[in-house]
Each structure stands twice: as structure tokens, then as C-alpha cells.
Amino acid sequence: MLTDKEITHLTNLSKETRRQILKMIVKATASHIAPSYSIVELLVYLYGKILRIDPKKPSDPDRDKFILSKGWAVSGLYSILAHKGFFDKKLLDTYCDDGGKMIAMTTINNIPGIEASTGSIGHGLPIGAGMAAAMKLNKINKRVYVIIGDGECDEGSIWETALIAAHHKLNNLIAIIDYNKWQSFGRTNEVLNLEPLKAKWQSFNWQVIEINGHNFVEIELAIKKSHLSKDKPTMIIAHTVKGKGLSIIEDNNDYHYKTPREKELLVAKKEGLI
Amino acid sequence: MRNVIIDEVYQIMKKNKDSYFLTGDLGYNTLEKIEKDFPGRFINVGIAEQNMIGIASGLALSGKKVFVYSIIPFLIMRCFEQIRNDVCYHDLDVTLLGSGSGLTYGILGSTHFALEDLAILRSLPNMTIFSPADEMDAKLGIKFSENFHHPLYVRIGLREEAKIHQHPYNFKFGKGVVIQKGKDLVFFVTGTLMEEVIKASKIIEKEKGLTSTIIDIHTIKPLDKELILKEIHGKKVAISVEEHGKIGGLGSAISEILSADKKLVHLIMIGTEDLFIQTIGTRSYLRKNLQFDSKGIVNRIKNLI
């Protein structure tokens, strides 16, 4: 069980990650701050407490794997990988630089710690399932975690993987939906209603856990429960807020695209993100 | 040809314990030996091709050599983006075994034909395209692929095909093979129409006194540019032959080379037209009807040579 001290530490790390994301995105005049912010607690918890990985041995076959299927939310992942020592923090200052390495989409590109190049939705979960299958077939006792977007559940390939992961009892595959209820053009329930989302994944024979995706206690409980599954892959439906952590951009889909400027940065300063 | 290919894949899987075979619920009565002898390494993923390529990529990213099998349009077209982003972008050791080249599936019609696959896959970086003319080509190619760890597409004719190569030869992807030498014409042929081209060249020699060089272009990508430029030298007419559309296949690839190299030679492209095929029939009937058999090939070119 997480102690108060640990929760404080994770919360501080989340704030620091949001600071870093803001810095990177403003410097590059880039998009995607809101979808990056909604998954910060999930990334911080996974990389802080769960993933059995070693920055000194990024290709060790005996490792847990994390795939960011919603590849455009990469700024937080870069920040956390740098914090963990996978590469020099200075690289973060080159985010989106012409001729640089830090692309605005999750890409292997010689960046240690990235497991798969994503960007078109619906690819990360099938790839993750393939990796989970490889682990089982090779008797490697590790797990694969995949964060997918809620809009991503529109893609047929997600449901193809839902079928096969359950059929082959890939209990070492843990998927998390960043359920911030927005996609590109509108709210998920206005574009293509996903509800009842929990019932859908349950009917596909997945273990399904619903949580507040910004609450470390709930995240911890869900991950623990996923580790207990003997024969089902797990889907954690994480209810999140797009843009969580900077009040002026929260739940506002403009900030899927819009770079924070003076107006937003004033609020960011007040809220301790600068 | 399919059985020879599966046999050679079997041999690779026997030696390489890190190899896997995925099928999209196809290959009934063909793949059972692999399923039986390598149970942990054979996965029928069901009729879900996008997922199949994703799974193959996840396995390959974990260090495996992966074979993926289906009928060509389902294997290549339905999940093209996955081939592009997951397999090619990551440059993975995934071999796509596509059954039913060209008009092989005859009476099943257009949804099962493969007349665009060469065009589509040529556009992908890191993709090697192998289109064997007979069982010897196929056998040597698969054997060669044992130590080849990049995206590979194998275009498979289905059943008994004529024997073109009598003996094994020094095979390499991207290296065309001279089948016969002649003075006047040069045929660049890919796939199982080779048999018809050889017959056609004999008819042309008899009727017009013109002799033909015939080249087996078993690899569409990378193309044997050197051999092609060498063999058109001194020839009045070059003919490309493929059981594939005229758009984007072997003929187009050769045109690209000729124009880039400023070579002036009349290239006659033999391929299907920019039309869905409305005729129904077996492959041999369609080859006759659409002028891909030896008589048809002669007919297409006799007034141009």
C-alpha cells in the first residue's frame, strides 16, 4: 500500500513532469499538451513503481515493456525516461527541433526506452499483444503495459486484439484507456459513443477495472489486481481529465492542438507550473 | 509452388526455434504440418489481418523471425498501414507469404485477384518483393531468406507450375536470371507467366525469325538495374510480362530505370488493363481470354516487332 510519503513523492514528480511538458511544448510551439497531461499520473506510477526496466540495459530481453499507443502524448514519456536515466535530460530541450531526434510522436529513432513507434491509432495494442505472446512463449515472466486513447477504441484493430488476447489468455497484457472523453473533433460520446465501455471489454473476456486515472491509490489497486489475473488480460478504464493539472486548459479540447501562450502561461505560473 | 514454399519454411522453423508462423485462418490442408510439429510457434490469429500484422510486429520486435500467411489481397491490402508502420518503419524480420498471385483464384473473381500488390508494396521502403517463376526459384528464395532479417513479400502461385529452372543456381535477392539468350528481343518476366513467354518466344522465332533473350526477374524490389540495362543494349524492343496491372508493377519499375538512364528502347508492357475483370473463368481460361498465354503474348506484340 502506498504510504502518504510515497503519494507526496509521486504527486511532486507529476507536477515536475507537467512543468517539463509545458516547457518543451511552449519552446517548440507544439500541440498536444492536453492529451499529454491526462496520462501523467499513469506514466509516473508505471515508471516510478512498476516497470522492471534498467536504463543501463534497455535491451535486456527480461524486462517489462510499455507502449504508448496514443503516440502524440510523447512529451511526458520523454520527460519521465530522461528522469529515469535512459538518456541525457538535455535532449528534452531539442523537442521538435529541426534535424533533432525528439520527434513529436513516439518513435524508436535511437532513443533508449521507447519500445515501439506509434502514431496511427490502433497499432500499439496489437503490437503489445505480440510482445506479450513472445514473453509467454519464451517463458519470460514479465508484462506488457499499453496506454491507448479512448478515441482509439473506434478502430477495429483494437477489437481484433481484444478477441485474440482473451482467447490466448494473455494475462501478462495490461491495457489502460485514457478515458478523457474527448477525441479530435468532439466528445467521444458525441462522435461514437463507447458506452457501456466496461461491459464491452468484459464481454470480450477481459478483466476490467474502472478508476480515477489521477488518483495514485486507485491506480495502485488496479495494477495490483491486474497482476493477480491468472488467465485474462486486464483493461483499466482510467477516467481522466484532458489537460489535467493546468486549470485553464482542463477539459477544453482546443488544447489538443493549441500551444499555451501568454494567457495560459499566466495561469501556469500562478499554479506553480513555471 | 505453395507446398514447396511451406516445406522450406518448415525447414527454417525446424532449425530456428525463434521463428513463428501466423495465419489469418487460411491454409487449410497446407499448414497442418507446421501446426502439428511446432505447436507453440504456430498461431491462427483468426480473420483479423490488421491485428495479425500487429502481433507479427510485436513478436519480431521481441527478436523473433515471423512468417505471415494469407491470400494476397487480405494479406497486403486490408492491413497495408500495419505493413507500412509496424513492419517496414521498424524494418522487422517479417516474411509475408501471399497466396494467389495474379489471376490464380480464377473463378472466385476480383476480390481474390492480386493485380495491384506489386505496385502497392513497391512504394514501401525496406520491403523486398520476391516473385518466383517456378518451384526452384521459390525453394532457393525461401532458403536464402533464412539469413535475411528484413521485411519480405513472397508472391506465391498456387498449384503445379511448369519447371523453368532445371538445376539450383547461385540465388540472391535482386539478381535476375538469364533463361535464354537471343539477338532481337528481350523479355523481362516475373512470376509464373514465364512458361508462356518461353513458348511465345519459340512461336516468334518460327514466324518472324526473331530470337529472344528471356530474363527471370524474380525480385521486383530491389530490381536488378544492372542486368536490365545490360540486356536491353542492342535490342530493338523490350517486353515486360507480369500477371499484374500495367500500373506500378514490373513494367513501371523498368520504365523508371529506362527514363532515369535516358535509355531509348520501346518497352511493351504486358499486364492487365485499368479495369476490373468482368470475365469469369479458371486461371488458364482467363490467361487465354486476356491474352496472357503464349498465343496472346505473340498477338500483343507481333505488329510492334
Side-chain angles (χ1 to χ4, degrees):
Chain A
M1 274 254 35
L2 285 172
T3 62
D4 284 340
K5 190 167 173 213
E6 285 171 313
I7 295 175
T8 307
H9 171 73
L10 293 170
T11 308
N12 289 340
L13 191 48
S14 300
K15 190 149 195 179
E16 180 51 42
T17 302
R18 287 189 168 94
R19 254 184 231 118
Q20 186 64 57
I21 291 171
L22 182 65
K23 189 169 164 212
M24 287 161 69
I25 285 181
V26 168
K27 177 170 184 282
T29 323
S31 298
H32 302 131
I33 185 162
S36 300
Y37 269 19
S38 56
I39 59 168
V40 167
E41 279 79 14
L42 292 165
L43 288 177
V44 162
Y45 185 78
L46 283 171
Y47 278 90
K49 288 276 167 212
I50 296 295
L51 294 171
R52 294 162 291 183
I53 48 180
D54 183 351
K56 292 191 208 73
K57 293 189 269 174
S59 310
D60 183 358
D62 190 18
R63 71 182 188 274
D64 285 329
K65 293 185 180 178
F66 170 75
I67 294 178
L68 183 58
S69 192
K70 43 172 277 179
W72 54 93
V74 71
S75 51
L77 179 58
Y78 284 154
S79 171
I80 286 168
L81 285 172
H83 175 84
K84 258 203 107 81
F86 276 88
F87 50 81
D88 194 329
K89 259 190 144 114
K90 282 203 222 95
L91 268 177
L92 299 176
D93 295 330
T94 67
Y95 183 64
C96 297
D97 270 5
D98 286 343
K101 265 179 22 162
M102 306 294 275
I103 308 176
M105 197 62 81
T106 310
T107 310
I108 287 182
N109 201 30
N110 293 319
I111 295 171
I114 305 275
E115 300 287 0
S117 302
T118 57
S120 175
I121 63 173
H123 289 244
L125 193 62
I127 290 176
M131 289 175 171
M135 284 177 184
K136 276 209 180 290
L137 293 160
N138 273 49
K139 300 197 175 18
I140 289 177
N141 221 354
K142 293 291 187 296
R143 298 185 183 94
V144 181
Y145 300 82
V146 185
I147 289 184
I148 67 177
D150 44 15
E152 204 164 346
C153 291
D154 291 356
E155 287 288 354
S157 56
I158 292 287
W159 300 99
E160 291 178 8
T161 306
L163 282 172
I164 201 172
H167 180 87
H168 288 279
K169 301 184 169 30
L170 297 180
N171 64 330
N172 59 339
L173 177 64
I174 295 143
I176 305 170
I177 297 180
D178 173 24
Y179 201 14
N180 59 37
K181 320 271 181 344
W182 282 104
Q183 47 197 96
S184 247
F185 209 80
R187 289 208 180 271
T188 50
N189 68 355
E190 285 164 354
V191 178
L192 266 186
N193 187 17
L194 295 172
E195 291 298 329
L197 188 57
K198 179 170 183 177
K200 284 184 175 70
W201 285 94
Q202 277 175 330
S203 72
F204 276 72
N205 291 323
W206 284 54
Q207 170 181 245
V208 186
I209 308 159
E210 270 191 282
I211 60 167
N212 171 349
H214 302 293
N215 181 304
F216 286 112
V217 173
E218 291 189 36
I219 297 173
E220 183 195 33
L221 278 168
I223 299 288
K224 271 201 165 84
K225 196 158 177 218
S226 75
H227 292 177
L228 295 174
S229 173
K230 292 222 164 28
D231 56 4
K232 287 184 176 184
T234 299
M235 174 54 78
I236 298 174
I237 299 175
H239 292 268
T240 55
V241 175
K242 204 162 181 176
K244 175 82 173 177
L246 175 55
S247 63
I248 192 173
I249 72 169
E250 284 185 4
D251 205 40
N252 182 339
N253 212 30
D254 285 352
Y255 296 99
H256 180 96
Y257 305 99
K258 224 165 107 163
T259 310
R261 288 186 211 283
E262 297 84 27
K263 180 172 76 166
E264 294 85 8
L265 294 178
L266 268 167
V267 179
K269 190 152 189 206
K270 252 200 317 196
E271 293 181 0
L273 288 177
I274 297 182
Chain B
M1 186 196 284
R2 183 172 60 170
N3 289 335
V4 161
I5 287 177
I6 297 300
D7 285 345
E8 285 305 321
V9 169
Y10 179 95
Q11 293 307 323
I12 294 175
M13 291 187 71
K14 194 167 172 194
K15 282 194 273 168
N16 181 350
K17 306 289 184 219
D18 263 337
S19 59
Y20 291 78
F21 196 103
L22 269 44
T23 177
D25 202 40
L26 287 170
Y28 188 71
N29 242 2
T30 307
L31 305 176
E32 279 77 0
K33 190 157 162 236
I34 293 181
E35 184 183 18
K36 182 165 157 287
D37 291 358
F38 313 121
R41 297 192 275 135
F42 174 90
I43 310 174
N44 177 357
V45 302
I47 318 166
E49 291 78 9
Q50 293 180 46
N51 174 71
M52 178 164 69
I53 300 296
I55 301 256
S57 302
L59 288 168
L61 281 164
S62 304
K64 314 298 174 200
K65 187 184 214 347
V66 189
F67 297 96
V68 186
Y69 175 86
S70 187
I71 290 175
I72 294 173
F74 316 147
L75 178 67
I76 300 305
M77 299 171 203
R78 194 164 192 123
C79 46
F80 176 72
E81 198 196 70
Q82 277 76 9
I83 294 172
R84 175 183 182 266
N85 292 0
D86 302 345
V87 176
C88 290
Y89 189 30
H90 288 104
D91 194 15
L92 298 177
D93 190 354
V94 174
T95 298
L96 304 168
L97 302 168
S99 167
S101 60
L103 307 163
T104 302
Y105 279 106
I107 56 166
L108 297 182
S110 283
T111 58
H112 284 56
F113 291 162
L115 303 169
E116 314 88 343
D117 50 312
L118 301 179
I120 293 168
L121 290 176
R122 275 210 312 132
S123 68
L124 292 181
N126 296 329
M127 177 60 75
T128 295
I129 300 175
F130 178 49
S131 167
D134 69 349
E135 288 185 358
M136 179 61 72
D137 266 355
K139 188 179 171 130
L140 294 174
I142 301 294
K143 257 194 164 66
F144 187 89
S145 80
E146 182 173 358
N147 297 310
F148 184 77
H149 304 295
H150 300 278
L152 173 65
Y153 169 58
V154 182
R155 189 178 208 242
I156 308 171
L158 205 54
R159 297 174 191 90
E160 291 305 312
E161 313 285 355
K163 200 171 181 170
I164 306 297
H165 298 279
Q166 302 303 322
H167 307 287
Y169 59 88
N170 192 16
F171 178 96
K172 197 165 181 240
F173 283 138
K175 288 273 159 267
V177 187
V178 178
I179 301 297
Q180 72 185 43
K181 277 285 210 177
K183 273 179 32 275
D184 308 291
L185 313 173
V186 58
F187 286 87
F188 297 107
V189 189
T190 192
T192 58
L193 284 176
M194 178 63 82
E195 175 194 9
E196 300 299 330
V197 173
I198 294 172
K199 285 192 207 141
S201 75
K202 291 192 170 76
I203 298 173
I204 291 167
E205 183 168 9
K206 193 154 169 241
E207 292 184 358
K208 291 216 156 196
L210 300 170
T211 57
S212 308
T213 293
I214 299 178
I215 310 286
D216 173 10
I217 301 286
H218 58 57
T219 308
I220 304 296
K221 183 175 183 177
L223 204 55
D224 195 344
K225 184 175 166 183
E226 206 183 297
L227 182 63
I228 289 170
L229 290 173
K230 174 166 172 262
E231 294 299 338
I232 61 164
H233 185 75
K235 302 287 189 304
K236 308 175 193 83
V237 175
I239 304 117
S240 66
V241 185
E242 59 199 304
E243 202 167 295
H244 183 275
K246 281 182 178 172
I247 299 174
L250 174 62
S252 293
I254 294 175
S255 305
E256 288 161 19
I257 292 176
L258 296 180
S259 47
D261 227 72
K262 295 193 282 186
K263 289 283 179 284
L264 210 59
V265 70
H266 183 190
L267 175 67
I268 301 170
M269 296 207 278
I270 293 180
T272 53
E273 302 302 324
D274 186 18
L275 294 164
F276 284 108
I277 294 167
Q278 306 291 352
T279 322
I280 298 170
T282 61
R283 187 185 66 182
S284 35
Y285 173 79
L286 290 173
R287 280 183 173 181
K288 250 205 239 356
N289 184 273
L290 297 168
Q291 302 209 89
F292 281 92
D293 64 340
S294 52
K295 286 211 182 78
I297 291 170
V298 173
N299 246 2
R300 284 175 184 251
I301 68 177
K302 66 182 181 203
N303 296 325
L304 301 166
I305 56 178

